Every structure is written in C-alpha cells, then in structure tokens.
Amino acid sequence: MKYTVLFLRKASAIQLIALGALKPQRARIPPLAESCLELPNLETHFSRMIFVTTLLMVSLNVLSVGRVRGKAISKRGAAYNDISNVLPLSKAGTVSWAYNWAVTEPNELPPGVEFVPMLWGTASFDGWQESVESTLSGGSEYILGFNEPDMSSQASLSPSVAANYYREYITPFQGKAKLVSPAVTSSTSPGMGLGWLHEFMGACSSCSISGVAVHWYGDSADSFKGFIYEVIIFARSYGLSEVWITEFALDADMNGVADDEATEAFIHDVTPWLDSQSIVTRYSYFMCAERYLLTGGVLNTAGKAYVSLSGSSDSVGSTSSSVSCNGLHSVEVQ
Ligand code: BGC
C-alpha cells in the first residue's frame, strides 16, 4: 500500500470522509504511470475503498496544479543559491523548475525539476554563449533576462542599453528556447518597475520575447494580486503569452520569515490564486533557503505551505494526469 500511505499523509480525516462520500463515477481518476506503480493487492472492501479514495485525492491534487502550454508541469519553482535546499522542496512533487540567478548549475537538480538559466547582468557576459548552449542542451527550455535592471544595486541598466544587450546576447537563442524579459521590481517610482519595462519593450520590439518576468515585495496578498493584475494587462498589451514572478515575498520576510503564521496565510492565499491565472505560467517565492522556506534543512511552516496544494484552483479544465514513483505529479493538458 505504498501509495495509500504516501497520499494519506496529506489528508485530514475530515477530507477522507468527505472524499469517501463522493461517488467514484463523478470523478475523473487519472491513469497511473504503469512503469513505476506497484498495484496493491486489494483484498478487502475496505482496502478497495481506501485505494479509490487515494486516487480521488491524487486527482484533486493534480487539478490544483497549473499548466503551461499543454506541457507536463506545475508553475511552482525554487529560487535557490544552494542546490542542497532544492530537494526538500521538490520532494513534495509540486515544484517543477528552479533557477539560481546564474546561467549554469554544475550539479544535478532533483528529477523532474527543470533548471532555467539567467543572464543576470553585464557581469555574466563572459562565456555566456557556451554556457547557455550547454544548459539548453541539458533540457532547459527558457532563458531569463537581466535581474532587476531598474535597481542600481542589481543589474542596473537603462531600458535602451538593456534592449541592445538583450538583442545581442539573448535573442540569438530564439527557436532554441523561449525568451523571458528582464525581471523588474514592483516599484512605482518613475523609470522603475513596469515603467522601465514599457520603455524596454518599446526598444526591444524585435527581441522575440514571449514572456514577462517581475518581482514583488509588499505588505499583503491583495496588494500582490493588484500588482500581478497590472502585469497581466501589461503582458496582454504586448502580446506576451506568459507571466513569470521570479521573486515574491512579504516585505517583512525579505531577510527570512518574520512571522510564521502571517507568511503561511500569505502563501496559502496567493499560490492557488496564481495557479488559477492561466497567463501566469511560473512563479518562485523568495526564496528556497535557510530561514525562508527551510529551517535546519527541512521545510518549515512557510515551506510546507509553499509545496502544499491547499486552496482551490478553478482554472484547469480538461486535464489528464499521471503520478510517478517518487510522488511527483505531472499534468498534461489536452
Ligand atoms: C540577487 C542574486 C542573489 C539572490 C539571492 C538576488 O536579488 O540578484 O544575485 O543570488 O538575490 O540572494
């Protein structure tokens, strides 16, 4: 009963009772990956009931996972510096990608986690072409642009200079990868945030960018959603098909989680909401590190909230799914 044990851990008794009361024919039970599934010996009516309940839970869990252009993927990512922190996060099966603000990751990420390279800024130009070629040949499908070019302490570039560099260094990889814009801050000061990005997009209209990336730090879930709505409108106005949020957290948590309960509530509020926005294709909380999502190398309250699929998502329509041996979920949208 490997799977029963695995997934029962996630459920409260109340959920189980509620799910058990559902009629099996009303739910779409996903096919399980035969290669790694050990089918249990269902001898008793009780164990059959538990097995069906488990499948229903898997099915509901999977329905909460977002979609990206019909690919098997969840939207959630790990923004990390130390790769050893990614496994505790990815083990839950809801993290599908990761980045480290750099172009390469010399070590292997856990199975099922795609590494996404970034051209951080001018300091990363040396050896960029060879490094990014090698990262793409390892299976990365995207390239992220400069990190906070609108901040003097980060990539610090004007929109027109950034556009020239983007065209020179990133655009040549169109066709080999999908290209994401520089990631701007959520600042509303003149020349920063979306203001910076408007100018950049004007100067980079021939750069083959298909997605926009932003960061957000603020004080509430509502303010976060308000900003992301603006970004969605921005993306649509430029015909961009994807919105990425590559850093986000409450202001109070910029140097590590300050208040477990407030952070947990924030994450539980915004992650299902992000999953329900179809144009939001990827997001990564800041960050997958000690004092943020981990304490002592294991998931803390915030980390558990980030990998959980609690909350609701009504965005996913026709979905089929599979479950792999290590509990990783994947979703294929037809
Ligand atoms: C910086 C990165 C750094 C990361 C995590 C980002 O804001 O630009 O260089 O690795 O924060 O500390």
Side-chain angles (χ1 to χ4, degrees), residues 62-94:
V62 164
L63 287 176
S64 298
V65 177
R67 55 179 161 177
V68 177
R69 290 189 182 171
K71 262 213 76 192
I73 209 155
S74 86
K75 302 181 183 189
R76 238 161 271 192
Y80 71 97
N81 287 143
D82 176 351
I83 193 171
S84 68
N85 290 327
V86 179
L87 185 61
L89 205 67
S90 69
K91 263 198 302 206
T94 49

Side-chain angles (χ1 to χ4, degrees), residues 25-296:
Q25 63 269 27
R26 288 180 57 196
R28 239 176 119 219
I29 299 174
L32 296 173
E34 282 181 20
S35 56
C36 56
L37 179 69
E38 287 167 30
L39 277 175
N41 182 8
L42 304 177
E43 280 172 354
T44 64
H45 175 70
F46 179 70
S47 46
R48 244 176 251 127
M49 213 180 80
I50 293 285
F51 185 59
V52 168
T53 303
T54 302
L55 290 179
L56 283 167
M57 290 176 59
V58 171
S59 177
L60 292 179
N61 270 352
V62 164
L63 287 176
S64 298
V65 177
R67 55 179 161 177
V68 177
R69 290 189 182 171
K71 262 213 76 192
I73 209 155
S74 86
K75 302 181 183 189
R76 238 161 271 192
Y80 71 97
N81 287 143
D82 176 351
I83 193 171
S84 68
N85 290 327
V86 179
L87 185 61
L89 205 67
S90 69
K91 263 198 302 206
T94 49
V95 164
S96 68
W97 69 281
Y99 86 109
N100 60 358
W101 292 270
V103 58
T104 52
E105 172 46 70
N107 300 300
E108 255 188 50
L109 282 164
V113 180
E114 176 195 350
F115 178 76
V116 180
M118 169 183 259
L119 180 60
W120 189 95
T122 53
S124 329
F125 286 167
D126 260 6
W128 160 257
Q129 274 88 354
E130 304 73 46
S131 300
V132 80
E133 288 280 4
S134 126
T135 300
L136 297 181
S137 67
S140 300
E141 299 194 349
Y142 290 88
I143 298 176
L144 296 172
F146 313 115
N147 193 67
E148 299 186 352
D150 53 333
M151 284 280 282
S152 55
S153 59
Q154 296 285 320
S156 187
L157 293 165
S158 73
S160 60
V161 169
N164 288 339
Y165 285 146
Y166 197 100
R167 210 175 289 106
E168 182 180 348
Y169 287 90
I170 301 183
T171 303
F173 292 97
Q174 65 175 300
K176 294 184 178 167
K178 283 167 265 181
L179 313 182
V180 183
S181 78
V184 291
T185 67
S186 49
S187 170
T188 51
S189 299
M192 294 185 73
L194 293 181
W196 187 99
L197 210 52
H198 268 300
E199 278 190 57
F200 171 84
M201 291 304 292
C204 219
S205 55
S206 59
C207 290
S208 301
I209 294 172
S210 62
V212 60
V214 293
H215 292 172
W216 177 91
Y217 294 92
D219 59 9
S220 70
D222 282 349
S223 132
F224 175 73
K225 291 174 192 171
F227 175 66
I228 300 307
Y229 270 133
E230 275 184 59
V231 178
I232 290 172
I233 291 165
F234 177 98
R236 293 208 172 113
S237 74
Y238 283 99
L240 304 173
S241 57
E242 298 190 31
V243 168
W244 289 45
I245 303 111
T246 44
E247 286 183 26
F248 69 100
L250 291 170
D251 271 337
D253 295 342
M254 280 179 95
N255 298 312
V257 170
D259 172 344
D260 284 348
E261 276 180 26
T263 305
E264 182 186 33
F266 171 74
I267 291 175
H268 274 318
D269 188 335
V270 302
T271 50
W273 182 82
L274 289 170
D275 289 339
S276 74
Q277 305 300 316
S278 57
I279 195 170
V280 173
T281 50
R282 292 200 180 181
Y283 57 85
S284 50
Y285 178 81
F286 187 85
M287 61 179 289
C288 172
E290 271 298 315
R291 295 185 295 112
Y292 293 81
L293 295 177
L294 300 142
T295 303

